[in-house]
Amino acid sequence: MENVVLYPFNKITQGIFRFRDLTDFNVTAVVDFVLHKGCDVGELIEGAAAGIPITDNIEEAFRSANTLILNDPGTSFGNNEGVYGEFNLKELWRVLVLAAHEHNIRIISVHEILDQNTLQWLEENQITIDIDEQIPDRLVSRMVDEYAFPSPTDEMTTYLNYFELDTKIKTYNQRICKVGIFATRGCLGKFTAQMSLFRELKKAGEKVRTIITEPTASLFNQPGGDIMKFIARRPLNQYPYYINAAVRDAENDGCDFIILSGQGSLLPNENFIIAATKISYLRAFSPDLTVLIAGYDDDEQIRDSLDILRIYGNGSRSFAILIPDKYEVDFGQYEFKTPEEMERRKQEIRSRFDVDHVECVLDIGKLTSELIKHRKSISQ
């Protein structure tokens, strides 16, 4: 994998582009049949041209590519049902994939392809799509070898077991600094904060690993932590042990830091098993420092989240609260906050909540030196 075309131009593709310096491939083009055709990706995301076009011209996109990375499984998902139907994206996906196959371009998907009609079409056309590995076999093997899992019984027993992890899970040393990034709700910038901090710590000479819960972990050569990817292979109640195994693996490799970004909101939802899972992997990760990302009108959710982190986060300090610079309001459409709005919100948070730092998500790199100081203090 050397010269890569991405499809389509969505949130995950933007994340791959924004942190492309942390990958070992070059992005040469982005194919999209809906958004920003004719634009330069860099101008849209970073404000400066990067020489990487967004195009609906497949032949042009494939001119210098040897790999196509699909961030779309060929059927609608997430919040794109309306767009999928309006622009006939199911058929255009097939046109794109067939063209890549005919050009002898390797095709990788970051999502599992589960739709039977799509699978049948691929088989009929003798097209192979490699599914991006999310959950490393070495960590699964380590988890199986090291832990005695509670026997699955009824849902309530499984639920209660999640709150007794500290009596079942193996302990580890405290040389590594564990940073947990969580949010009051989804789509506030957890991945951006995680990867920005990952980049800045690497630049500072720290040995750092990050557990990526987006479906792109292996593209950054990091372990994945997507719950849905995990339960495709193992029972859900083993997920906290997998997270703990990832921390132990990083520590054994001599890492100074490991960063985990939670999925979705930290707060419970109506599914008590999923809610308990959030608590259990928080306890299994056992962060030394936590970063909470919050919105502009959710003080009550901030209080609840800080309580959860204090009670179930092994007494970890709430090191910082971050706010986003934009919200996604519709498919591919964002509402941007002005500098004045961001500064006003930061001042509100400083006055209402007892945390060390309040910054914009994009400015998490400013916290790097403080994190290194803390890491040195716990390793002594």
Side-chain angles (χ1 to χ4, degrees):
M1 186 163 58
E2 183 178 354
N3 294 323
V4 166
V5 171
L6 304 176
Y7 172 81
F9 184 75
N10 60 10
K11 185 180 76 169
I12 292 180
T13 298
Q14 292 178 49
I16 296 171
F17 172 82
R18 189 188 294 275
F19 300 105
R20 64 195 183 280
D21 57 305
L22 300 174
T23 69
D24 52 12
F25 54 80
N26 301 313
V27 178
T28 59
V30 174
V31 171
D32 198 285
F33 303 111
V34 180
L35 294 173
H36 307 299
K37 291 172 285 187
C39 296
D40 183 285
V41 182
E43 289 180 343
L44 291 173
I45 298 178
E46 299 172 336
I52 302 174
I54 300 174
T55 180
D56 60 356
N57 186 322
I58 296 171
E59 292 297 321
E60 174 188 308
F62 287 162
R63 193 166 296 151
S64 60
N66 58 18
T67 306
L68 169 65
I69 296 178
L70 299 170
N71 188 21
D72 180 315
T75 50
S76 63
F77 67 102
N79 64 345
N80 70 347
E81 291 89 350
V83 173
Y84 226 85
E86 179 183 352
F87 290 91
N88 196 27
L89 294 182
K90 178 179 178 180
E91 292 305 316
L92 289 173
W93 183 91
R94 294 186 177 190
V95 170
L96 174 69
V97 168
L98 185 58
H101 174 68
E102 291 173 345
H103 283 74
N104 294 315
I105 289 174
R106 182 188 180 196
I107 308 170
I108 297 173
S109 175
V110 303
H111 298 290
E112 300 284 342
I113 298 175
L114 304 174
D115 178 69
Q116 289 302 311
N117 289 332
T118 304
L119 291 171
Q120 181 178 347
W121 177 84
L122 292 170
E123 183 178 355
E124 290 171 352
N125 288 276
Q126 298 182 321
I127 298 173
T128 298
I129 296 182
D130 298 326
I131 304 302
D132 189 37
E133 183 191 40
Q134 296 294 305
I135 308 298
D137 287 338
R138 76 176 193 284
L139 292 185
V140 173
S141 297
R142 177 169 196 152
M143 176 189 74
V144 171
D145 290 343
E146 293 195 1
Y147 303 116
F149 305 116
S151 301
T153 53
D154 60 278
E155 280 195 341
M156 183 57 69
T157 303
T158 300
Y159 173 81
L160 293 174
N161 278 333
Y162 280 137
F163 293 87
E164 298 176 0
L165 280 176
D166 50 356
T167 65
K168 300 182 176 74
I169 214 160
K170 292 189 177 182
T171 60
Y172 41 84
N173 296 327
Q174 298 298 315
R175 296 188 307 275
I176 192 169
C177 181
K178 295 158 288 178
V179 181
I181 299 177
F182 305 96
T184 56
R185 52 191 171 89
C187 299
L188 291 180
K190 293 187 299 298
F191 179 74
T192 298
Q194 177 185 31
M195 298 306 287
S196 296
L197 186 58
F198 180 55
R199 173 195 279 156
E200 292 303 315
L201 286 168
K202 285 172 69 73
K203 285 182 181 178
E206 300 293 303
K207 187 174 182 181
V208 56
R209 190 167 296 169
T210 186
I211 303 172
I212 298 177
T213 53
E214 294 282 357
T216 52
S218 68
L219 300 180
F220 296 98
N221 301 307
Q222 298 298 308
D226 187 320
I227 289 177
M228 300 310 295
K229 298 289 185 181
F230 182 85
I231 64 175
R233 299 182 56 183
R234 308 291 301 186
L236 177 61
N237 69 334
Q238 294 181 11
Y239 180 77
Y241 297 86
Y242 169 77
I243 294 298
N244 188 263
V247 175
R248 288 169 60 82
D249 188 68
E251 184 174 57
N252 286 351
D253 285 348
C255 289
D256 303 306
F257 286 91
I258 187 165
I259 308 168
L260 169 70
S261 172
Q263 284 181 270
S265 168
L266 177 65
L267 299 173
N269 59 18
E270 64 278 3
N271 184 316
F272 70 87
I273 291 296
I274 296 298
T277 302
K278 294 179 180 181
I279 297 301
S280 65
Y281 77 68
L282 173 61
R283 294 185 69 170
F285 184 67
S286 190
D288 298 296
L289 298 170
T290 59
V291 174
L292 180 67
I293 306 179
Y296 286 71
D297 55 358
D298 53 359
D299 283 4
E300 182 177 343
Q301 289 84 354
I302 292 174
R303 291 189 180 92
D304 290 344
S305 296
L306 291 176
D307 282 344
I308 288 173
L309 293 171
R310 175 176 52 82
I311 296 169
Y312 297 110
N314 193 34
S316 61
R317 284 170 49 211
S318 295
F319 180 68
I321 294 179
L322 308 181
I323 59 171
D325 66 318
K326 63 182 179 182
Y327 285 108
E328 187 173 21
V329 295
D330 202 352
F331 179 76
Q333 298 179 16
Y334 294 88
E335 173 188 318
F336 288 83
K337 294 295 182 180
T338 66
E340 292 76 19
E341 288 174 317
M342 288 189 282
E343 187 55 40
R344 185 160 56 247
R345 181 57 176 153
K346 286 192 285 187
Q347 291 296 341
E348 290 174 352
I349 291 172
R350 289 187 186 103
S351 66
R352 296 172 186 173
F353 301 99
D354 181 23
V355 293
D356 295 338
H357 306 278
V358 181
E359 298 288 351
C360 174
V361 166
L362 298 178
D363 294 329
I364 191 172
K366 294 180 179 179
L367 307 179
T368 302
S369 60
E370 291 298 319
L371 286 168
I372 292 172
K373 286 181 186 177
H374 183 81
R375 191 268 301 168
K376 289 180 178 177
S377 71
I378 65 173
S379 64
Q380 291 175 351

